[in-house]
Amino acid sequence: MNEHGTGVPSIGAEQPGVPPSISRRRKLVSCVALAVAGASLLAAHEVSAAPVNQAENKSAGGDPSVADLKAQVERLTRELEASKQREQELINQGAAEAPLDTPAAASAVPGGAASGNAVAAAAPEPKAEEVKEEPKNLAEVTVTSRRKEEKLQEVPIPVAVISGEQMKRDNIVSVADFARRVPNLGVTSTNARQTSIALRGLGKNSGNESMESSVGVMIDNVWQSWVGSTWANYADIDHVEVLRGPQGTLQGKNSNLGLVNVVSQAPSFKSGYYADGFAGNRNSLQGKFGATGTILPGLLAYRASGYIDRRDGWVENLDVAITNGKLQETNALGGRLQFLLTPSDELSARLIVDRSSSTQSMSVNPNLDDPATFADGTARPITYSSRLGRDWFDVFKRSGQPVTIIGDPRKVAQDNKQVSRADGEGVSAEINWDVLGHRFTSVSAYRDSLFEPHHDGDRSVADIMRIGGVTVKNEQWSQEFRIASKEPGPIDYQAGLFTMRSTADTFSQNHYGDDAGAFYASNAQYGRLNSSAIGRQMMQASLREVFDTAALNPATDSYAGYGQLNWHITDAATLTLGLRNTFEQRSNSGNHRSYGGADLAALSSSIGASAQNLTDAQAIRNGRITQNWTADRQGFDQNSQNWLVNPSYKITKDVMAYFSVAGGQKSGAAQFNSNTGAVENVDPEDVMDYELGIKSSWLDRKLVVNLNLYQTDVNGFQSQLVLPDEARPGQFRTTLGNIEGIQLRGIELETSWDVARGLNLFLNGSYNHAVYTDFKNAPCAPEANKPVCDQTGLTLPNAPAFTANFGFDYRVPLGFGVGDDYGLQWHAFLVDSFKSQANYNASLSASGKQPAYHVTDGGIGVGTKDGKYNLDLVGRNIFDTLYLTNVGNWSSTGASSATYGEARYYGVHFRARF
């Protein structure tokens, strides 16, 4: 590398994409540079060997003197500078792209007899496409957890990182995949609306747009107000950071329990391309591509990327009328286009446009359990199974068609199974301006997400519920302004203003079919109506073609100001202080409508039905629909704060200890009773968190060991609660409410050890004690056969005590190839994710228990050492482990349903960079 930070290109080859005249000029420049360097070396040698007598310095026999050589150096230098100037003029005229490696003039410094000065040779700068893609040692990983680039080991908060190379290697493409790489992270992604993220066993909320999750998601500096917008493949990603503990001061509102921060690859002025393909069992076909490069030299660059992901499902549908393959398939595609504008070294702007779409049979949810008795041994008077066992449904049995399947995680029997749709699109613009010793940042964004479900609400082949589900259209607009200090000093700081508007239009509908009346009738009603042909006709008409719909329109206007500073008390001691104030206006409006179906009174009169027949048919209908209501927009204003006190101390250059105490409040939610339209607004959620940790590097930074202790106390945690339905005795309804007290307490360990060149071992684990400290009015598990239970002291659902992931990455040269960088190497990796036993039912039903399990991913392959080409045989969930991620409640009209993790798939994975 020369004194100007540029390298010397190779000589004698035309550079692709450069006009011949420019290429020849670059050759001349290179030759001149070498001539200058040679002359300088010769001059230096002559000066050091010259006799003291100046008269003897004159040339003899025609050989040049030192003065002659100096004159030649000066002349060649002038020619070099003139050539560079001419080339730059051509570049400015658009004749050529700015060269990546422009040689600078090598200067010769004249010296005395004893100086011996010589010009160091300039080394070529590595080209962008030659940078190796290998997993980095944790000590070298850079993160942006605090809105600036920092070494991971110097950030005094617990942060786990999934590198972009690891995501490519392991084919990590979804939020659910993140949970297989980060301890204490739990994800359920049944569909877009039922996607939920939990940290340390808490935060796993979904299915309600009146509130945000307590675990935030940030994608390229844009807060995602609706967790369903994370339902997409993550391709072309630089890295993912998972921050544990309250992050509301800097990283976004309502991140009371932590944050998932996704950072995509940025555009580059150096051209580069990649292609990524996967093909395997279950008709798996996955493709990813990317390209980056210059549009206007030194001014405008682009980056384009896209993906397609298709894979058959793993759940067999035994409905003989449906032959469209196994359910729970994957069918997604999307892309991202970016532009980077750099009008000066101090000013840059980045524009990102993205879109994703998926159409697939989401929410398959096989039936898990339908016990015949309650926990005390008492027989259940009516069950899902006994309803489907009525002779009305014998028509299916006589044809050999099972009416439903219960207890087989890989089989269902469902009719009218249509695909659901999840789309997302957005645009964001980030502007950075470095001036007056500060960086000023503006982030403007808009996002639009849509989920259209088509579920079989009865999970059987009978024509009971033709359409079930909630359609969601979510929109958000956000604007953020930040200022951050850049000059070194005892204090560095950041401050900003943030505003967001988020709206959701939700529409739920139940469309009842021909068999609905026979299914929903009580035993007494069924017995009376089924005893005659006229009664059976009235029973069928009771719910046939009835629609029951509800619409809710929650909206939030959020305004916040925040600041955080680092006070470097000494070179070793730093105190970080942060404060955020958020003002929100939250509101909601809605309505409920029931319509359709036969006029039962008129039908009864026309066919000669008895008064009892009419009474029974009307009772069946009333049991499924509630009164119509309309609620005008209502809501409230709320002010809340997040704060942080975070001292840290560098014991040595490789060992840092830190402590933090943080508090925060998440605003309440504007909500209605779905049956009556009565206002049921939800109280705020308060968090107090304590973290104590150490980050350390050992053995010349080959071994990294990070340890963190934590305690988090949550009051008024906002959660979906299952409560008795006062309008329909014996049934339940889901509503949003508050849990009085929860405590999380545990320890987290992250280690990485570069044992030898090419071999890395890692072990990350956690112990988490997550309990209800005050939940006296908890909804009971259904087997308790009572409405309210005291769950104080019990372990939270979705909170295994022990989680871990461990494995290795191994790379070994094959022993042949051209050079150290361009030879071949074989590589292998293995990652095991472990979770101890836990209950995955919100009411802690016995049906939700999941024993401890392991999920193992791995691969083996060959590639070039420079990382340009890789060919691997990889497997996900190699041992095809069956494991639950969520379990619903059973009731008198439904079995408990289960969401399972992805089944095994494997195949050939090819990656190439150009």
Side-chain angles (χ1 to χ4, degrees):
M1 195 70 66
N2 60 35
E3 64 179 348
H4 294 275
T6 56
V8 178
S10 58
I11 301 173
E14 297 287 343
Q15 298 188 38
V18 178
S21 61
I22 300 297
S23 182
R24 288 192 296 270
R25 185 169 290 105
R26 289 184 179 177
K27 292 180 190 177
L28 175 61
V29 169
S30 301
C31 293
V32 171
L34 291 177
V36 170
S40 301
L41 289 172
L42 180 59
H45 173 74
E46 291 291 344
V47 168
S48 62
V52 177
N53 188 347
Q54 295 299 319
E56 296 179 16
N57 285 342
K58 294 184 179 181
S59 59
D63 291 333
S65 66
V66 172
D68 294 333
L69 289 174
K70 288 181 179 180
Q72 185 179 6
V73 167
E74 291 174 357
R75 179 179 57 79
L76 291 174
T77 300
R78 287 193 299 270
E79 291 178 0
L80 173 62
E81 291 299 328
S83 177
K84 286 173 59 182
Q85 184 176 359
R86 287 193 299 273
E87 183 179 39
Q88 186 61 47
E89 290 173 353
L90 288 173
I91 291 171
N92 294 337
Q93 295 169 6
E97 179 179 334
L100 299 180
D101 303 292
T102 303
S107 60
V109 181
S115 68
N117 289 326
V119 179
E125 182 178 359
K127 296 180 181 178
E129 62 270 20
E130 293 178 358
V131 177
K132 297 183 181 180
E133 287 192 355
E134 294 183 2
K136 289 184 180 180
N137 183 291
L138 286 181
E140 304 303 322
V141 171
T142 299
V143 297
T144 57
S145 306
R146 300 194 295 178
R147 297 293 182 89
K148 59 181 180 179
E149 290 189 353
E150 300 174 283
K151 292 294 185 182
L152 173 64
Q153 290 301 97
E154 297 177 358
V155 179
I157 57 176
V159 184
V161 176
I162 309 173
S163 70
E165 168 57 20
Q166 185 181 9
M167 294 182 70
K168 296 184 185 75
R169 183 199 68 181
D170 299 3
N171 202 27
I172 297 173
V173 297
S174 69
V175 177
D177 293 337
F178 299 168
R180 305 250 285 270
R181 296 296 180 267
V182 178
N184 255 347
L185 175 65
V187 176
T188 295
S189 55
T190 308
N191 57 49
R193 187 171 188 256
Q194 297 296 330
T195 296
S196 59
I197 303 173
L199 278 168
R200 298 169 175 171
L202 196 60
K204 196 172 182 181
N205 278 323
S206 60
N208 192 302
E209 286 68 38
S210 299
M211 56 169 285
E212 292 90 0
S213 171
S214 296
V215 177
V217 177
M218 190 84 71
I219 301 177
D220 290 326
N221 280 330
V222 177
W223 169 269
Q224 309 296 301
S225 65
W226 185 51
V227 71
S229 63
T230 65
W231 178 274
N233 281 33
Y234 291 93
D236 205 28
I237 298 300
D238 185 84
H239 68 280
V240 174
E241 303 168 12
V242 180
L243 292 68
R244 300 182 292 271
Q247 305 298 325
T249 303
L250 277 183
Q251 287 285 13
K253 72 187 190 77
N254 295 340
S255 300
N256 269 357
L257 298 174
L259 181 90
V260 177
N261 185 32
V262 180
V263 182
S264 65
Q265 292 272 13
S268 171
F269 284 92
K270 293 187 177 181
S271 297
Y273 311 90
Y274 76 84
D276 187 319
F278 177 91
N281 71 319
R282 291 170 46 196
N283 291 319
S284 300
L285 180 62
Q286 188 178 84
K288 289 177 276 189
F289 73 88
T292 189
T294 296
I295 298 176
L296 297 174
L299 180 63
L300 184 63
Y302 79 96
R303 189 176 191 95
S305 60
Y307 68 85
I308 183 171
D309 190 4
R310 293 179 178 174
R311 183 165 57 254
D312 287 350
W314 68 89
V315 179
E316 182 181 0
N317 191 357
L318 299 186
D319 186 339
V320 296
I322 296 179
T323 58
N324 59 348
K326 292 186 176 181
L327 305 178
Q328 208 72 20
E329 77 281 6
T330 298
N331 185 16
L333 57 90
R336 180 189 291 114
L337 180 62
Q338 303 183 61
F339 297 98
L340 176 65
L341 179 67
T342 57
S344 69
D345 291 341
E346 294 78 25
L347 181 62
S348 67
R350 182 183 180 187
L351 177 70
I352 305 176
V353 180
D354 72 276
R355 177 171 173 78
S356 62
S357 179
S358 63
T359 54
Q360 55 208 78
S361 58
M362 311 167 193
S363 298
V364 174
N365 296 351
N367 291 319
L368 177 64
D369 192 19
D370 188 29
T373 64
F374 294 109
D376 61 3
T378 304
R380 295 173 59 197
I382 189 169
T383 67
Y384 174 73
S385 300
S386 68
R387 291 177 188 271
L388 290 176
R390 292 168 173 169
D391 58 6
W392 181 280
F393 302 99
D394 285 350
V395 61
F396 301 106
K397 301 172 188 176
R398 288 192 293 269
S399 67
Q401 169 72 66
V403 183
T404 191
I405 301 293
I406 298 177
D408 191 329
R410 298 289 171 88
K411 292 181 180 178
V412 298
Q414 299 180 2
D415 71 323
N416 197 32
K417 193 65 187 179
Q418 303 178 49
V419 297
S420 297
R421 174 187 173 193
D423 292 347
E425 57 190 4
V427 58
S428 67
E430 179 176 337
I431 301 173
N432 289 287
W433 186 25
D434 295 333
V435 65
L436 302 175
H438 291 76
R439 167 163 290 185
F440 294 87
T441 300
S442 168
V443 182
S444 309
Y446 168 77
R447 184 146 210 93
D448 181 7
S449 301
L450 174 67
F451 174 57
E452 289 183 340
H454 295 283
H455 306 326
D456 188 340
D458 55 79
R459 297 195 297 276
S460 75
V461 298
D463 184 21
I464 299 171
M465 190 178 293
R466 294 174 180 170
I467 298 176
V470 180
T471 298
V472 179
K473 179 177 176 58
N474 177 268
E475 290 184 282
Q476 69 172 64
W477 302 259
S478 64
Q479 175 63 56
E480 184 172 11
F481 296 105
R482 294 200 305 267
I483 180 174
S485 61
K486 290 180 65 68
E487 298 295 335
I491 294 179
D492 61 79
Y493 52 86
Q494 301 180 59
L497 298 172
F498 175 84
T499 181
M500 169 179 280
R501 177 169 176 80
S502 176
T503 64
D505 293 328
T506 71
F507 181 74
S508 65
Q509 58 179 322
N510 294 323
H511 178 199
Y512 294 98
D514 290 350
D515 301 323
F519 178 80
Y520 287 110
S522 68
N523 288 337
Q525 292 163 350
Y526 181 82
R528 289 190 293 266
L529 291 171
N530 194 52
S531 62
S532 67
I534 291 177
R536 290 170 67 87
Q537 188 174 349
M538 290 294 295
M539 183 164 58
Q540 186 178 59
S542 65
L543 283 172
R544 181 175 56 190
E545 299 299 340
V546 170
F547 284 84
D548 190 56
T549 66
L552 291 173
N553 309 107
T556 302
D557 292 293
S558 181
Y559 310 92
Y562 62 87
Q564 184 163 305
L565 64 84
N566 299 310
W567 177 22
H568 306 289
I569 303 170
T570 68
D571 289 342
T574 298
L575 176 62
T576 300
L577 302 173
L579 179 65
R580 185 187 192 98
N581 187 83
T582 301
F583 174 77
E584 290 193 323
Q585 297 174 319
R586 305 184 75 91
S587 63
N588 206 340
S589 63
N591 64 72
H592 177 270
R593 295 285 183 272
S594 295
Y595 59 91
D599 183 332
L600 294 179
L603 176 64
S604 172
S605 176
S606 67
I607 64 176
S610 67
Q612 185 64 57
N613 290 156
L614 177 58
T615 299
D616 286 337
Q618 191 65 58
I620 294 172
R621 179 175 293 186
N622 292 340
R624 295 308 303 167
I625 64 175
T626 57
Q627 65 185 27
N628 291 341
W629 56 265
T630 298
D632 294 332
R633 184 159 293 276
Q634 62 87 18
F636 53 87
D637 297 346
Q638 186 172 328
N639 202 59
S640 58
Q641 290 80 36
N642 295 75
W643 54 270
L644 170 71
V645 178
N646 180 201
S648 61
Y649 187 80
K650 298 208 72 170
I651 302 170
T652 71
K653 68 175 184 177
D654 293 324
V655 179
M656 179 183 68
Y658 63 87
F659 171 74
S660 73
V661 56
Q665 184 178 79
K666 188 173 81 171
S667 56
Q671 183 80 357
F672 298 103
N673 183 309
S674 59
N675 291 330
T676 66
V679 173
E680 289 186 348
N681 289 346
V682 179
D683 293 335
E685 173 183 305
D686 294 287
V687 173
M688 180 67 73
D689 176 79
Y690 308 89
E691 310 275 340
L692 175 63
I694 187 168
K695 293 191 172 185
S696 63
S697 302
W698 309 89
L699 305 179
D700 195 24
R701 299 192 175 183
K702 291 183 174 63
L703 173 64
V704 173
V705 180
N706 296 340
L707 192 68
N708 185 70
L709 306 174
Y710 63 87
Q711 176 174 309
T712 306
D713 295 297
V714 186
N715 295 321
F717 178 72
Q718 297 170 3
S719 177
Q720 292 287 99
L721 303 180
V722 180
L723 300 175
D725 190 339
E726 61 277 2
R728 295 192 286 259
Q731 299 185 38
F732 298 87
R733 68 182 179 93
T734 300
T735 188
L736 187 62
N738 296 96
I739 298 173
E740 291 300 320
I742 291 174
Q743 185 177 85
L744 316 175
R745 183 181 291 175
I747 184 171
E748 297 162 328
L749 173 70
E750 293 177 287
T751 68
S752 176
W753 185 18
D754 291 337
V755 180
R757 184 177 181 183
L759 176 60
N760 174 266
L761 304 179
F762 63 91
L763 168 62
N764 305 318
S766 66
Y767 168 73
N768 183 40
H769 182 62
V771 297
Y772 294 117
T773 56
D774 187 357
F775 201 15
K776 297 181 179 63
N777 60 340
C780 291
E783 60 264 30
N785 195 26
K786 58 182 181 179
V788 178
C789 291
D790 185 357
Q791 293 186 358
T792 302
L794 298 184
T795 300
L796 271 60
N798 314 303
F802 294 95
T803 62
N805 62 69
F806 53 89
F808 69 84
D809 182 277
Y810 192 34
R811 299 165 183 263
V812 179
L814 284 177
F816 60 90
V818 182
D820 184 58
D821 288 335
Y822 298 98
L824 297 179
Q825 66 178 2
W826 76 269
H827 48 260
F829 74 92
L830 189 74
V831 181
D832 186 276
S833 177
F834 168 78
K835 294 184 186 295
S836 63
Q837 65 178 357
N839 193 311
Y840 288 88
N841 174 258
S843 301
L844 297 178
S845 169
S847 300
K849 292 182 179 178
Q850 166 67 51
Y853 66 91
H854 293 261
V855 178
T856 306
D857 303 337
I860 187 170
V862 65
T864 56
K865 291 182 183 178
D866 61 1
K868 282 188 176 181
Y869 304 99
N870 287 279
L871 182 64
D872 300 271
L873 177 64
V874 298
R876 299 288 300 275
N877 192 3
I878 294 172
F879 302 106
D880 204 19
T881 302
L882 282 169
Y883 62 99
L884 298 167
T885 62
N886 192 63
V887 175
N889 275 334
W890 50 261
S891 69
S892 64
T893 58
S896 62
S897 61
T899 303
Y900 291 90
E902 175 86 25
R904 173 175 55 205
Y905 70 93
Y906 53 85
V908 176
H909 189 193
F910 173 73
R911 292 182 289 145
R913 292 186 296 113
F914 311 99

